[in-house]
Amino acid sequence: DRVADARSFAMLRNLRREISKEEDVPPYVVFSDKTLVAMCELLPKNAEEFLEIPGVGDTKLQRYGEAFIEAVNTWKDLG
């Protein structure tokens, strides 16, 4: 569903923007758009699934995993 995908992508972009402002780095340093799209497709519900996303490694899992997994799960619950 393209509308659902667009909503989830927008939600993840907003989260990425908030984090990038807090850390004073460009948004792409947090995650690329390609990585956010993969999150929308795979909808990771835990750390193991989050690590399967291209562009996510141990460091990004430690730094951002909890926030993005929580966002995905919240979005899935609303959908």
Side-chain angles (χ1 to χ4, degrees), residues 2-60:
R2 288 187 173 235
V3 172
D5 289 346
R7 282 191 197 134
S8 61
F9 182 72
M11 181 196 64
L12 293 178
R13 281 187 64 198
N14 287 336
L15 176 58
R16 178 182 66 180
R17 187 179 317 119
E18 290 172 19
I19 291 170
S20 73
K21 282 182 182 179
E22 287 173 14
E23 297 190 354
D24 196 28
V25 295
Y28 68 83
V29 170
V30 178
F31 287 119
S32 68
D33 281 356
K34 185 177 177 180
T35 300
L36 297 184
V37 168
M39 285 183 209
C40 293
E41 292 170 352
L42 298 174
L43 300 174
K45 57 184 172 286
N46 57 45
E48 283 181 0
E49 292 178 5
F50 197 71
L51 277 172
E52 293 175 15
I53 295 170
V56 175
D58 289 329
T59 301
K60 290 201 176 185

